[in-house]
Amino acid sequence: MSVAAEKNTAIRTRGVTKSFGRGESAVKALKGVDFDAHCGELIMIVGPSGCGKTTFLSVLCGTMRADEGSIEVFGTDIVHLGTGTLTAFRGQNVGFIFQQFNLIPTWNIVENASVPLLINGASRRTAETAARTLLAEIGLGARLSAFPSQLSGGQQQRVAIARALIHEPRLLICDEPTASLDAASGRKVMELLKGTACRPDRCVVVVTHDSRIFHFADRIAEMEDGVMKSVHKPGEYNPQYV
Amino acid sequence: MFRLALKMLYGDVAKFIMLIGGLTVCSLLMTQQSGVFCGLMMWTTATIRNIDVPIWVCDAKVEQVNEVVPLRDVDVNRVRSVKGVEWAVPLYWGIIQTRLPNGAFQQVQLTGLDSATLVGRPPRMEKGTAEELRLPNAVIVDQVCVKKFKSKGLTLKVGDVFEINDKEARVVGICKAEQSFMGQPYVYTTYERALEYAPPQRKQLSFILVKPRADTPASEVVARIREVPGLAAFTAKDFADQTMGWYFKYTGIPISFGTVVVLGIIVGIAIAGQTFYLFVHENVRHLAALKAMGAGNVLLAEMVFLQAFVVGIAGYGLGTGLTAMLGAKFMTLGEPPFFLPWQVLAFAGGIIVFICLFAAGIGLIKVFRAEPAVVFR
Ligand SMILES: Nc1ncnc2c1ncn2[C@@H]1O[C@H](COP(=O)(O)OP(=O)(O)O)[C@@H](O)[C@H]1O
Ligand SMILES: [Mg+2]
């Protein structure tokens, strides 16, 4: 592989496996996943429910340990990082968007969006100023003192996007970001992701089985039963499992 | 992050109130009951402080000040002849029935002082002087006596008359004294007149009050008096300690109060511990999200400890504050007894700290075990 290609590589995994449970009831969720993603792209991972997408995302961003295999994220071998270093690595390099938003209900949206900066040691003032600016940019400037429960699902997911981007992580991990949203809100969220989150030095990984948003992807990786089956261009992809 | 940790805590109003309420009840039970207990213990030795002499001499069988085994009158002279004794005077000390002009009865603590010296005189005179005890049939009553008589229909003033054992007693003064364990009002008179009031008995001398010479330590004089057959002697402090020790050992008082204190601790641990555990349990998903976003165990532990200690301090403050208010009320009423030494506050504070550590600890086990990956579920 050339130096230029390596520089362009955001994620590279080889032979990643992960099982849950032991003995007879053990579930082999990942059976040797090889996966590559590049800087500047939005790559989707699709596949039927239970095929291991979420598990793969978890080991990819280091919230869960893989059993075997190698995982490199922007050149860092995260398999061999200690727990503390791995946690700090996530704090600095990974932004998260979840299906369930996971906003903290007792904090207003500015506080929610500022959390990653606070975790990384920024002052409250710096963090909240940055959060206000970013929330205004994504169209929530009028609701800055609102609490998550006062917002619609689409608006909450936009707060989550602000939270995921505030510390300018290089890797953005999104697990079913539109699954809890109606079609219009889902499209808005994806437009926002595509427009604000995608940058030449950043890689956005979106797990989904929402075929309405496939066209936002640069590439689509199809997973099946714990392995990556194939990679497609969005226009050429016609999922068989739907 | 710490400000946000507190917002997380206040945000759950129901649990926040439960937590503070539990710890308030816990601190209240602990300090209030200990306060009443300490007050009661103080009452047991009130006589020693009211009489206020360096050395007490009594029958060898006596173990505490509220128990009287009479001595013979000649024992005063035996004590006076002990080397190092500056003076020794008799004290009559007995519970006796009085009769008010309207026919009502009231038990009082009759205190007969040596008429020449008036050693053991009332600590604080409100009306009249102690010297007036030397007038015929004179007695001095304390404020408790005024109160008790009032409840029975007689507002005692200087110059009023009532009967002790069918003999006249004329009030020449009113004093303030620390309340005794049994709660009987104090009536002071001279030793000789006390013997006239008291039902006749073979031996009537209750205690001998002693002052050591300036050049002799009290402990030395005590040791010498103890060599006199049939007599025991104590310094005032030893007598007080021994008296409290006696109540500790031979009465159910410490157990009954201790039970309530332990109950308070259990209530605190149960309510605060369980509520806090629930609070953490409900927030574990959020804490796991923070973990996924890069918050380390140390930061999360600091947040949880902060949450626990904020409710701890609030509960302790409210509980001890309520105790102080109740205590102030008790002290103006005169009963129940109340005395709150700093040790009790420190002890209660220690228990609250322990409960907070315990509650935060079990919460933390949950936080540490939480896999950050649960946020994807
Ligand atoms: N924590 C877990 N414990 C046990 N089994 C799990 C756990 N997480 C996932 N699995 C199992 O692993 C498989 C893959 O799950 P998942 O990665 O969530 O699939 P997807 O996200 O594609 O729906 C499923 O069979 C699921 O039941
Ligand atoms: Mg999933």
Side-chain angles (χ1 to χ4, degrees):
Chain A
M1 199 182 286
S2 74
V3 174
E6 267 185 9
K7 257 193 178 166
N8 199 28
T9 298
I11 300 163
R12 185 186 149 89
T13 75
R14 290 295 177 266
V16 172
T17 65
K18 176 78 187 176
S19 306
F20 295 105
R22 269 186 213 154
E24 297 209 345
S25 62
V27 179
K28 218 160 191 257
L30 302 179
K31 301 174 177 167
V33 181
D34 301 338
F35 178 76
D36 293 277
H38 313 304
C39 291
E41 77 172 342
L42 189 159
I43 185 162
M44 284 188 187
I45 301 176
V46 304
S49 197
C51 72
K53 304 184 297 293
T54 298
T55 308
F56 182 60
L57 266 195
S58 305
V59 297
L60 188 63
C61 66
T63 55
M64 190 187 278
R65 295 283 188 180
D67 295 340
E68 299 167 83
S70 65
I71 305 170
E72 264 178 41
V73 179
F74 295 103
T76 303
D77 168 16
I78 67 163
V79 171
H80 293 107
L81 290 183
T83 307
T85 328
L86 182 60
T87 303
F89 180 84
R90 279 200 310 269
Q92 281 153 18
N93 296 293
V94 185
F96 294 90
I97 295 169
F98 313 102
Q99 177 180 347
Q100 303 297 340
F101 319 142
N102 281 323
L103 299 173
I104 292 174
T106 49
W107 300 351
N108 68 34
I109 65 172
V110 172
E111 288 160 347
N112 265 292
S114 65
V115 160
L117 282 179
L118 294 174
I119 288 175
N120 284 315
S123 72
R124 176 183 163 199
R125 202 155 180 224
T126 317
E128 291 196 354
T129 307
R132 277 195 199 93
T133 313
L134 189 51
L135 285 166
E137 268 172 37
I138 63 174
L140 289 168
R143 310 295 316 264
L144 292 181
S145 54
F147 288 87
S149 59
Q150 298 168 320
L151 301 179
S152 71
Q155 287 172 320
Q156 290 189 50
Q157 197 59 302
R158 271 146 69 194
V159 175
I161 291 175
R163 180 178 66 183
L165 295 177
I166 189 129
H167 53 310
E168 313 209 321
R170 290 201 289 168
L171 175 61
L172 200 62
I173 294 283
C174 317
D175 191 21
E176 313 265 10
T178 61
S180 308
L181 304 178
D182 60 73
S185 313
R187 198 176 58 243
K188 239 184 179 162
V189 161
M190 284 312 295
E191 278 166 2
L192 196 61
L193 270 182
K194 189 76 183 169
T196 327
C198 287
R199 287 201 323 214
D201 60 339
R202 182 181 283 153
C203 176
V204 181
V205 181
V206 179
V207 157
T208 186
H209 55 252
D210 181 357
S211 59
R212 294 169 304 190
I213 64 167
F214 285 171
H215 63 280
F216 286 101
D218 294 314
R219 290 192 301 148
I220 297 177
E222 190 177 349
M223 225 178 144
E224 197 181 275
D225 197 19
V227 289
M228 278 308 160
K229 205 174 121 201
S230 50
V231 180
H232 311 266
K233 286 277 169 200
E236 302 157 3
Y237 181 54
N238 191 13
Q240 292 134 26
Y241 70 91
V242 182
Chain B
M1 278 322 273
F2 295 128
R3 200 180 62 90
L4 295 184
L6 293 181
K7 271 193 95 171
M8 198 183 254
L9 180 67
Y10 308 148
D12 192 341
V13 178
K15 287 207 191 56
F16 185 58
I17 290 173
M18 262 305 257
L19 280 167
I20 292 192
L23 291 171
T24 300
V25 169
C26 172
S27 339
L28 177 67
L29 284 180
M30 283 192 293
T31 53
Q32 201 270 340
Q33 289 295 305
S34 303
V36 172
F37 174 73
C38 293
L40 208 54
M41 285 295 116
M42 290 299 276
W43 274 9
T44 65
T45 53
T47 306
I48 297 172
R49 284 184 298 281
N50 281 334
I51 303 289
D52 193 24
V53 292
I55 294 172
W56 290 68
V57 179
C58 50
D59 186 276
K61 291 187 282 294
V62 169
E63 288 178 273
Q64 50 108 347
V65 68
N66 298 300
E67 174 193 16
V68 173
V69 179
L71 303 162
R72 289 170 297 155
D73 279 340
V74 293
D75 288 329
V76 179
N77 286 327
R78 291 166 75 202
V79 172
R80 279 179 184 146
S81 63
V82 170
K83 201 171 141 233
V85 169
E86 167 127 10
W87 48 249
V89 297
L91 179 77
Y92 176 83
W93 174 250
I95 289 174
I96 207 163
Q97 191 85 281
T98 64
R99 196 158 71 100
L100 279 58
N102 65 10
F105 289 98
Q106 170 67 48
Q107 283 208 325
V108 300
Q109 184 73 59
L110 188 63
T111 308
L113 309 176
D114 175 51
S115 58
T117 59
L118 297 178
V119 164
R121 64 178 65 196
R124 194 137 51 92
M125 294 302 298
E126 306 226 295
K127 297 230 173 62
T129 63
E131 280 70 25
E132 285 170 90
L133 278 182
R134 298 193 182 108
L135 297 172
N137 297 340
V139 296
I140 292 173
V141 299
D142 75 345
Q143 77 285 17
V144 178
C145 190
V146 173
K147 209 164 73 186
K148 290 252 159 103
F149 276 30
K150 193 168 185 178
S151 72
K152 294 190 173 170
L154 175 63
T155 310
L156 262 188
K157 303 178 303 293
V158 170
D160 281 351
V161 171
F162 59 94
E163 277 180 13
I164 305 177
N165 241 352
D166 296 332
K167 297 184 189 77
E168 187 187 77
R170 201 162 47 79
V171 177
V172 297
I174 295 170
C175 69
K176 236 182 142 107
E178 231 182 280
Q179 173 149 356
S180 72
F181 182 63
M182 303 301 280
Q184 274 96 1
Y186 286 97
V187 173
Y188 288 88
T189 186
T190 60
Y191 181 71
E192 292 77 12
R193 201 170 308 115
L195 298 192
E196 289 172 22
Y197 287 141
Q201 273 177 342
R202 196 165 61 84
K203 296 194 282 182
Q204 293 194 299
L205 172 59
S206 313
F207 292 103
I208 302 167
L209 310 176
V210 173
K211 184 170 189 254
R213 276 223 288 274
D215 58 4
T216 322
S219 55
E220 213 172 297
V221 176
V222 164
R224 284 185 202 143
I225 297 172
R226 284 188 176 182
E227 284 167 16
V228 179
L231 293 187
F234 304 95
T235 62
K237 184 177 177 304
D238 289 348
F239 205 25
D241 290 349
Q242 171 138 349
T243 298
M244 289 200 218
W246 188 89
Y247 279 89
F248 238 89
K249 223 163 121 186
Y250 296 112
T251 69
I253 299 172
I255 292 174
S256 63
F257 282 90
T259 309
V260 180
V261 169
V262 169
L263 212 67
I265 297 173
I266 292 172
V267 165
I269 291 180
I271 296 186
Q274 172 171 313
T275 310
F276 197 76
Y277 181 79
L278 271 180
F279 168 72
V280 172
H281 179 80
E282 270 173 28
N283 278 297
V284 81
R285 188 180 174 83
H286 302 136
L287 295 168
L290 296 178
K291 228 173 171 177
M293 289 187 274
N297 279 342
V298 174
L299 177 61
L300 293 175
E302 285 169 349
M303 289 172 69
V304 169
F305 273 113
L306 177 71
Q307 289 165 338
F309 276 92
V310 162
V311 289
I313 289 165
Y316 178 71
L318 283 173
T320 51
L322 280 174
T323 295
M325 275 165 55
L326 278 175
K329 185 85 194 150
F330 291 171
M331 276 150 103
T332 51
L333 289 176
E335 58 190 337
F338 191 79
F339 174 61
L340 197 62
W342 66 266
Q343 289 90 335
V344 167
L345 291 174
F347 168 77
I351 295 288
I352 294 290
V353 167
F354 168 78
I355 294 175
C356 289
L357 286 176
F358 173 77
I362 55 171
L364 273 180
I365 293 175
K366 239 187 136 51
V367 174
F368 286 173
R369 286 222 183 119
E371 278 247 26
V374 302
V375 292
F376 289 115
R377 302 276 142 217

